[in-house]
Amino acid sequence: MRATTAGVVGAALLASTALGLAPAATAAPAPDPVPKVSAAAAPAAASALRFVDIPGSGGITLKANVYTPGGYDGSQRYPVVVLPSSWAINDLEYLAQEKLLADSGYVVVSYTSRGFWLSGGEIETAGPPDVADVSKVIDWTLANTPADPARIGMAGVSYGAGIGLLGAAHDPRIKAVAALSGWADLVESIYQGRTPHLQAAALLGGSAYLTGRPSAELQSILANFLSANLASEDTMIAWAKLRSPLTYVDRLNANHTAVMLANAWGDSLFPPNQYADFYERLTGPKRLEFRPGDHATAEATGLLGLPNDTWTDARAWLDHYLKGTDNGIDRQPPVQLTSRSTGAYEGYADWSSVPSRTEKLALGAKGARTGALGGDAGTGWHTTIGTGVDSGADGGVIFLSSLLDQFAKAPPTASIPLLPRAFAGVWQSQPYATARHVRGTSVLHTTLTPSAANGTVIAYLYDVDALGTGKLVAHAPYTWIGKTPGKAFGTDIALQATAYDVPAGHRLALVVDTVDPLYIGENPAFATVGFSSPAGDPSTLSVPFDDR
């Protein structure tokens, strides 16, 4: 039975007021990429800031501010950067980065997205009115500032990142985008594995009501989403696809837009797989960066005006593609990953090159307490677990868990030997003699036999030490709808991508259970789900390793 947890929802609503979707944590800057890119030198005169009203689409007013370079004498034209505000935040969000951009020779416009704070209209969640606002802001900027119409870019965090990508897909005047902690596929972001992300949706909905005016459409979507109303599933998916840059990737490619994407491994709202998939479909100039942390934490210090690698790279990206600055960013490997374990940067030619090999580990039956992971093929076995009980293996708490991983190398943990086998399937590898470097997306392939037509499982990959304490490496939910009870079916569950080092002497553990506070499950009372490994279709876990 699907059920929301009142305490979790309430906590998420309260958190939204304090966090504004970007926790005010002060992150230590990550190590510099190699080779290092640099921003252009600042002009001698100080840049100027003014606050303005900009006409948006449909006749509404967007509250905004404009930074112009110092020393303007009426004869120059400057490249433009437009920054839409993040969800639940206003146009003051980017002042520190705006000044840096303006001091280096940009006209910079930041505006409060429609429906939030003092901007007019209602919250349309990056719908067509928001996309039209982007073009309206560009029109106003060209008419009212010394902006160069041939050199227009966009940047933004979270909501601003998504709006920037959508705007660039619809307005070919936009030549470059830096999309930080954004989304490309809204369906896979908050409905991954056909499983509603409870805490993420509660946070977004709560902050919308507290800081703005949700449209009737958004109110209906939130109500149906949080109640897991399957009758409205097609409507919700269509709503999300309309707001997904992935839907318009062909337009971005036709426009040859230079796209930089940056995100965190543990992003609670927009996890990494959907950004990586989108990146692979882009054909123009492109760059992909993943760092430890949660939603918007990797760039948070930059919003405070402190040194920040994500923003340094974003400014360098804009400098190269809007100013033509030869700063070396186009010569770096375009995929830049930061290990969760070491904090070191790693460069790759493309996303598919991240793992040097993929090891297919067989799931087998071995003893009463645990199953074998790896070794012989292990087929012909069958095991069943009960549903609706949290085994203790969880993905953590929105924001908090990934922040602890980012700053303290302390991801969610579980005692693998103590997990109740009646409610969790557990498979463990032998201890590894040398360190293993997990890089990319692990995929579980297995055969399920449910006792009910609808159900949910969550797969977790743990790094387990000699005492049996498991640190979470990756996880993912999976929900089935309308299956025949008692009839087996095969499925693949792609865990979220990561860069994690398993120390020598540790082992990997795969855990599968049916309840996680992050998600809304679809398990009826007293149901069961079986796992098996038929001889013709063995159950396996494919783990990507980088041995370089």
Side-chain angles (χ1 to χ4, degrees):
M1 176 173 60
R2 291 196 177 196
T4 60
T5 303
V8 171
V9 176
L13 299 182
L14 290 173
S16 68
T17 64
L19 301 179
L21 304 194
T26 304
D32 290 334
V34 179
K36 183 174 176 60
V37 297
S38 58
S47 53
L49 170 68
R50 60 192 172 106
F51 292 89
V52 298
D53 291 343
I54 298 178
S57 64
I60 70 161
T61 297
L62 300 170
K63 293 295 181 179
N65 67 73
V66 181
Y67 254 113
T68 51
Y72 172 63
D73 62 8
S75 63
Q76 300 128 300
R77 289 286 171 180
Y78 300 98
V80 180
V81 178
V82 176
L83 297 109
S85 70
S86 297
W87 186 271
I89 304 180
N90 61 29
D91 61 291
L92 301 179
E93 174 184 9
Y94 301 110
L95 285 179
Q97 289 301 319
E98 287 182 73
K99 182 167 176 25
L100 289 173
L101 286 164
D103 285 348
S104 67
Y106 287 93
V107 169
V108 192
V109 180
S110 175
Y111 67 93
T112 303
S113 299
R114 67 165 49 226
F116 287 107
W117 297 94
L118 297 179
S119 279
E122 297 178 327
I123 302 171
E124 303 289 349
T125 323
D130 291 289
V131 176
D133 284 343
V134 171
S135 294
K136 283 286 195 178
V137 170
I138 292 172
D139 292 343
W140 182 93
T141 303
L142 295 177
N144 293 277
T145 73
D148 185 343
R151 296 185 292 168
I152 298 172
M154 295 198 70
V157 175
S158 184
Y159 195 46
I163 290 176
L165 289 171
L166 290 165
H170 289 82
D171 193 328
R173 293 177 295 180
I174 300 168
K175 305 303 180 185
V177 179
L180 316 180
S181 288
W183 77 91
D185 186 341
L186 199 54
V187 179
E188 281 300 302
S189 292
I190 60 175
Y191 198 52
Q192 178 196 6
R194 213 174 178 181
T195 310
H197 290 213
L198 168 61
Q199 294 182 22
L203 178 64
L204 291 168
S207 57
Y209 279 101
L210 288 166
T211 62
R213 301 165 300 282
S215 66
E217 183 181 30
L218 175 56
Q219 293 181 50
S220 175
I221 290 292
L222 280 170
N224 287 322
F225 191 87
L226 289 170
S227 64
N229 182 3
L230 288 173
S232 68
E233 183 181 46
D234 290 345
T235 298
M236 290 189 290
I237 289 175
W239 176 88
K241 286 185 175 180
L242 181 67
R243 291 157 171 82
S244 296
L246 180 64
T247 302
Y248 313 102
V249 66
D250 291 345
R251 297 188 188 185
L252 285 166
N253 291 337
N255 295 341
H256 203 63
T257 312
V259 177
M260 172 183 163
L261 306 170
N263 210 341
W265 292 119
D267 195 311
S268 299
L269 303 183
F270 309 132
N273 286 10
Q274 50 93 30
Y275 242 22
D277 293 343
F278 179 65
Y279 172 84
E280 288 288 87
R281 295 189 57 181
L282 292 169
T283 59
K286 58 183 180 178
R287 181 179 178 90
L288 178 66
E289 300 183 354
F290 285 134
R291 294 177 172 86
D294 207 307
H295 186 68
T297 65
E299 51 270 0
T301 53
L303 295 174
L304 301 175
L306 300 174
N308 181 277
D309 282 354
T310 308
W311 279 106
T312 296
D313 288 353
R315 294 195 305 272
W317 185 259
L318 297 170
D319 284 349
H320 182 74
Y321 288 101
L322 297 181
K323 290 183 177 180
T325 305
D326 184 10
N327 53 23
I329 198 164
D330 58 317
R331 295 189 294 276
Q332 286 188 345
V335 175
Q336 292 283 325
L337 310 183
T338 307
S339 168
R340 290 169 51 198
S341 303
T342 67
Y345 279 93
E346 302 168 356
Y348 301 88
D350 51 52
W351 179 249
S352 61
S353 300
V354 170
S356 58
R357 66 183 177 90
T358 297
E359 188 171 335
K360 186 172 287 189
L361 306 174
L363 275 62
K366 183 181 180 181
R369 295 287 296 165
T370 189
L373 181 60
D376 296 333
T379 59
W381 56 263
H382 181 93
T383 188
T384 300
I385 63 173
T387 68
V389 174
D390 190 340
S391 72
D394 289 324
V397 178
I398 189 170
F399 287 137
L400 177 61
S401 297
S402 291
L403 279 170
L404 288 173
D405 185 36
Q406 178 180 356
F407 295 120
K409 303 291 189 294
T413 61
S415 177
I416 305 303
L418 296 181
L419 294 176
R421 278 15 182 208
F423 301 104
V426 180
W427 293 265
Q428 293 191 79
S429 72
Q430 293 297 315
Y432 290 110
T434 59
R436 297 296 179 99
H437 309 288
V438 181
R439 297 292 185 274
T441 303
S442 299
V443 179
L444 168 63
H445 174 76
T446 191
T447 296
L448 301 177
T449 305
S451 68
N454 301 346
T456 298
V457 295
I458 304 95
Y460 308 87
L461 182 63
Y462 284 97
D463 158 26
V464 185
D465 65 17
L467 297 177
T469 299
K471 291 185 175 181
L472 187 63
V473 176
H475 81 285
Y478 172 77
T479 294
W480 64 89
I481 304 294
K483 296 294 185 180
T484 301
K487 184 176 181 180
F489 65 94
T491 191
D492 292 310
I493 304 175
L495 281 62
Q496 285 303 328
T498 194
Y500 184 96
D501 297 342
V502 179
H506 287 209
R507 64 181 76 206
L508 286 173
L510 172 70
V511 178
V512 186
D513 71 2
T514 63
V515 175
D516 191 306
L518 286 172
Y519 307 106
I520 302 174
E522 181 68 34
N523 293 305
F526 309 113
T528 62
V529 57
F531 301 87
S532 59
S533 185
D537 186 21
S539 290
T540 59
L541 177 69
S542 298
V543 183
F545 291 114
D546 185 0
D547 296 326
R548 288 163 289 189

